[in-house]
């Protein structure tokens, strides 16, 4: 039998404990995407009678069991890879490896899409500032260079998006490779700036409530959006609970379930008990407040009836309204940069999280051992290079086919399945160790994540299915991800079996810190 000490690559991960509470919170906030939720992600899909801020409250309340499970499991098992380690040790090692590999593929595709379609935020900022200041140069840039990527885009414009996205992604990777701490610091700086810009946007919208439509008129006129003449209503007279609940999958797509970034770096926590206990809770509450208050303020100031008719334009939203009302160009650009940087904030947290999952899988011998190598500053260099390579390749998809790229949004089902097994691992851990809180909230969280997984598979708004049936491009990507993951695990298992290492024995042990 192989000695226990030879199961893992080495007896210490080599990663440095340098992630403080602020870093961990900012990682989770980037994961939960409050800024993108207030942009074009949710509000255009709200139907009459649906209340966005109420849906946000319900979504947060329903996510509390998962928050509790993930917090307790992070306290119990603080290891690089977070929920991958929980699933592979508590549920099944083979299943955990396959799910984590498929989740990595989905995540990389999502980051590539975010990088490409972040041009829509640049386009919105340029258009809005240009219109409000009669600046034809900015409008020309928006119409000819930084065009809306969802519209008719030339190959040259797509290549421009590719180069800009690849350049930024390369810089983020280079900083992470140089020093792991620089990667965390970049996430924190981008997060702080983005949140400050969002708070400024809230102040601007609120302070212009008395003459809201007068100041917004140039923006509304430019897009032929009619301002109402009747009374502004905060709450719809024709409120529909069913329509409000139908928004929950969209909130789930962008915000509350995505709390696994902090746990993925939990082995690197400084003052680990405190950070493990608080990072998910703080990030979830901050996201809840930003998203809920943002949508609530819009209904208070503009009125529900106007918002519900203007949101479907994809032009009118919290961010563009705040920019239009800002009054001076300096403030407009600060808020506009905040919107744009939310996308790069998302990419920056993704670079960190991806590398830790790759590291954990390599430490368990599923991926090549090379990806566990770290430099003297605690950075998993080769894991980051793998991220760069895959993302740059997937970033080519929207260059050649916008429709294929949009279809990849539906691959969220891979992430939904992964998170379901994350809370299931917590539930089983609770039953195996007689942890009452984990048993109760694990069952509740598993039920809700199962529902969200079902929605990811069947709701046309998510993209895996359409009104005509299953999206074939998305289905092929999902099947390919699972086939690839199964192939990688099988090849690794057979290779190590020939070398005398039983991976089944490895999954019975918690990896070293």
């Amino acid at each position: 039998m192989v000695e226990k000490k030879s199961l893992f690559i080495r007896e210490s991960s080599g990663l440095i404990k340098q992630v403080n509470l602020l870093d961990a919170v900012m990682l989770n906030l980037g994961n939960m995407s409050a800024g993108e939720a207030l942009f074009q992600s949710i509000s255009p899909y709200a139907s009459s009678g649906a209340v966005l801020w109420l849906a946000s409250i319900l979504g947060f309340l329903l996510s509390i069991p998962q928050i509790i499970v993930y917090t307790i499991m992070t306290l119990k098992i603080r290891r690089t890879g977070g929920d991958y380690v929980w699933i592979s040790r508590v549920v099944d090692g083979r299943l955990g490896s396959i799910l984590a590999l498929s989740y990595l593929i989905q995540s990389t595709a999502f980051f590539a899409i975010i990088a490409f379609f972040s041009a829509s935020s640049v386009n919105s900022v340029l258009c809005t500032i240009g219109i409000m200041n009669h600046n034809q140069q900015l409008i020309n840039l928006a119409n000819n260079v930084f065009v809306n990527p969802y519209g008719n885009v030339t190959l040259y414009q797509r290549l421009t998006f590719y180069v800009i996205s690849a350049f930024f992604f390369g810089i983020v990777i280079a900083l992470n490779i140089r020093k792991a701490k620089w990667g965390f610091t970049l996430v924190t700086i981008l997060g702080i700036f983005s949140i400050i810009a969002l708070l400024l946007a809230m102040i601007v919208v609120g302070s212009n409530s008395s003459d809201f439509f007068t100041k917004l008129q140039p923006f509304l006129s430019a897009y032929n959006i009619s301002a109402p003449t009747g009374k502004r209503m905060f709450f719809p007279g024709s409120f529909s609970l069913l329509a409000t609940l139908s928004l929950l999958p969209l909130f789930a797509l962008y915000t509350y379930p995505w709390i696994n970034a902090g746990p993925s770096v939990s082995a690197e926590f400084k003052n680990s008990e405190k950070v493990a206990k608080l990072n998910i809770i703080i990030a979830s509450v901050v996201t809840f407040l930003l998203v809920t208050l943002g949508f609530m303020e819009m209904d208070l100031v503009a009125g529900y009836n106007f918002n519900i008719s203007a949101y479907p334009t994809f032009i009118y939203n919290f961010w563009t309204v705040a920019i239009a009302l800002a009054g001076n160009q300096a403030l407009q650009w600060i808020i506009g940069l905040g919107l744009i940087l939310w996308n790069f904030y998302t990419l920056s947290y993704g670079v960190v999280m991806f590398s830790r999952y790759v590291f954990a899988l390599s430490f368990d011998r599923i991926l090549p051992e090379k990806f566990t190598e770290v430099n003297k500053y605690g950075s998993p260099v080769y894991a980051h290079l793998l991220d760069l390579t895959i993302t740059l390749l997937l970033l080519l998809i929207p260059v050649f086919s916008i429709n294929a790229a949009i279809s990849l949004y539906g691959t969220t089902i891979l992430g939904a399945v992964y998170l379901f097994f994350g809370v299931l691992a917590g539930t089983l851990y609770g039953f195996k160790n007689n942890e009452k809180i984990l048993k109760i909230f694990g069952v509740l969280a598993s039920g809700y994540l199962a529902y969200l997984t079902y929605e990811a598979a069947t709701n046309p708004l998510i993209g895996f299915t359409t009104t005509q049936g299953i999206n074939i491009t998305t289905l092929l990507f999902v099947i390919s991800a699972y086939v690839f993951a199964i192939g990688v695990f099988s090849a690794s298992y057979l290779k190590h079996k020939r070398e005398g290492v039983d991976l089944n024995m490895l999954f019975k042990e918690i990896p070293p810190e």
Side-chain angles (χ1 to χ4, degrees):
M1 180 180 289
V2 180
E3 296 180 13
K4 181 191 297 186
K5 66 178 182 180
S6 67
L7 285 175
F8 296 101
I9 301 299
R10 51 183 180 268
E11 289 303 297
S12 174
S13 70
L15 298 170
I16 301 171
K17 290 185 179 295
Q18 55 188 343
V19 178
N20 59 35
L21 179 59
L22 180 61
D23 293 333
V25 168
M26 286 300 168
L27 275 172
N28 281 323
L29 282 169
N31 200 1
M32 299 174 81
S33 309
E36 282 123 329
L38 289 168
F39 185 43
Q40 297 175 343
S41 305
I42 299 173
S43 56
Y45 304 99
S47 58
S48 180
V51 179
L52 286 157
W53 56 265
L54 181 57
S56 179
I57 292 173
L58 294 173
F60 172 72
L61 292 175
L62 289 168
S63 73
I64 288 176
Q66 183 198 5
I67 293 168
I68 293 171
V69 170
Y70 264 66
T71 297
I72 293 175
M73 289 302 293
T74 304
L75 285 164
K76 297 287 184 182
I77 306 176
R78 286 193 291 279
R79 292 295 187 272
T80 300
D83 43 10
Y84 155 69
V85 177
W86 313 339
I87 299 169
S88 58
R89 269 63 185 182
V90 179
V91 183
D92 183 81
R94 294 159 296 186
L95 180 64
S97 301
I98 292 166
L99 290 174
L101 286 165
S102 62
Y103 176 57
L104 280 178
I105 295 168
Q106 183 267 329
S107 297
T108 315
F110 180 73
F111 299 142
I113 294 167
I114 287 290
F116 187 87
F117 288 108
S118 62
S120 63
S121 63
V122 178
N123 176 266
S124 291
V125 170
L126 292 175
C127 279
T128 306
I129 296 177
I131 288 167
M132 297 306 294
N133 295 283
H134 309 289
N135 188 324
Q136 195 57 46
Q137 288 180 318
L138 293 181
I139 295 173
N140 288 338
L141 275 176
N143 290 336
N144 300 302
V145 182
F146 298 101
V147 300
N148 184 348
Y150 294 97
N152 295 319
V153 188
T154 66
L155 179 60
Y156 173 79
Q157 290 164 338
R158 295 179 194 177
L159 287 171
T160 300
F161 297 162
Y162 180 91
V163 170
I164 293 171
S165 301
F167 177 73
F168 179 83
F169 201 76
I171 290 175
V172 174
I173 291 287
L175 290 172
N176 276 273
I177 286 176
R178 181 65 180 87
K179 281 187 181 182
K181 184 60 181 175
W182 287 5
F184 293 121
T185 301
L186 177 64
V187 172
T188 299
I189 290 172
L190 288 173
I192 289 173
F193 182 87
S194 299
I195 291 170
I196 289 173
L198 200 159
L199 293 174
L200 282 174
M202 286 183 175
I203 294 170
V204 166
V205 173
S207 62
N208 286 281
S209 59
S210 60
D211 51 357
F212 179 84
F213 289 109
T214 301
K215 289 188 175 181
L216 199 62
Q217 193 55 47
F219 173 80
L220 299 178
S221 297
Y223 293 108
N224 295 316
I225 302 173
S226 300
T229 56
K231 182 181 178 181
R232 303 181 204 178
M233 297 175 61
F234 171 62
F235 200 78
S238 56
F239 168 69
S240 170
L241 179 60
L242 185 62
T244 301
L245 292 174
S246 72
L247 294 172
L248 288 180
L250 287 174
F251 280 93
L253 181 61
Y254 290 96
T255 54
Y256 302 121
W258 304 102
I259 54 176
N260 54 321
S264 73
V265 300
S266 55
E268 299 167 76
F269 287 168
K270 289 195 302 185
N271 193 359
S272 57
E273 192 81 9
K274 175 185 176 182
V275 179
K277 187 181 296 183
L278 296 176
N279 78 95
I280 296 173
I281 296 170
I282 292 174
S284 299
V285 171
V286 170
T287 299
F288 162 67
L289 291 174
L290 292 176
V291 174
T292 305
L293 293 177
F295 283 131
M296 185 179 288
E297 183 179 47
M298 287 293 287
D299 282 352
L300 280 167
V301 173
Y304 174 87
N305 290 334
F306 177 70
N307 286 333
I308 207 68
S309 64
Y311 282 143
T313 63
F314 281 84
I315 295 163
Y316 175 93
N317 56 68
F318 171 83
W319 284 101
T320 53
V321 165
I323 296 169
L325 294 173
N328 69 78
Q329 289 194 51
L331 188 54
Q332 287 173 337
W333 278 111
I334 290 172
I335 296 173
L337 285 174
L339 167 58
I340 294 168
L341 289 180
W342 266 101
N343 295 281
F344 296 111
Y345 176 28
T346 298
L347 294 177
S348 298
Y349 103 78
V351 166
V352 173
M353 189 176 74
F354 178 93
S355 67
R356 270 41 179 195
Y357 280 116
V358 169
F359 184 95
L361 285 160
S362 302
F363 211 79
D364 280 350
R365 300 180 183 272
I366 307 304
L367 290 175
E369 299 174 14
K370 193 73 174 175
F371 297 126
T372 67
E373 293 185 15
V374 297
N375 62 18
K376 64 180 180 179
Y377 299 110
S379 175
V381 176
Y382 295 102
H384 284 306
L385 290 175
L386 177 67
D387 186 10
L388 178 64
T389 302
I390 295 175
T391 302
L392 291 184
L393 288 173
L394 291 174
L395 195 54
L396 289 170
I397 293 175
V399 173
F400 294 102
S401 174
I402 294 292
N403 289 332
I406 293 174
S407 295
L408 293 184
Y409 278 115
T411 62
T412 301
I413 190 173
L414 292 167
V417 170
Y418 179 76
L419 291 179
F420 166 74
F421 278 96
V423 296
L424 182 62
T427 308
L428 294 177
Y429 185 93
F431 279 98
K432 289 178 180 179
N433 296 278
N434 198 27
E435 297 273 352
K436 186 175 180 180
I437 295 177
L438 272 180
K439 286 193 287 186
I440 294 171
F441 289 101
V443 169
L444 293 173
S446 297
Y448 185 55
L449 264 296
Y451 160 72
L452 292 180
T453 303
Y454 169 78
E455 284 290 328
T458 60
N459 193 323
L461 291 178
I462 308 300
F464 183 74
T465 57
T466 67
T467 52
Q468 285 77 43
I470 294 177
N471 187 314
I472 298 301
T473 304
T474 309
L475 178 64
L476 288 174
F477 187 93
V478 169
I479 292 173
S480 299
Y482 281 128
V483 169
F484 173 80
I486 292 169
V488 169
F489 176 82
S490 300
S492 178
Y493 181 85
L494 293 173
K495 172 182 179 292
H496 287 100
K497 188 176 182 180
R498 288 194 298 268
E499 296 172 354
V501 177
D502 185 355
L503 294 187
N504 291 320
M505 294 298 296
L506 180 147
F507 290 124
K508 295 182 184 297
E509 303 290 335
I510 301 296
E513 287 191 273

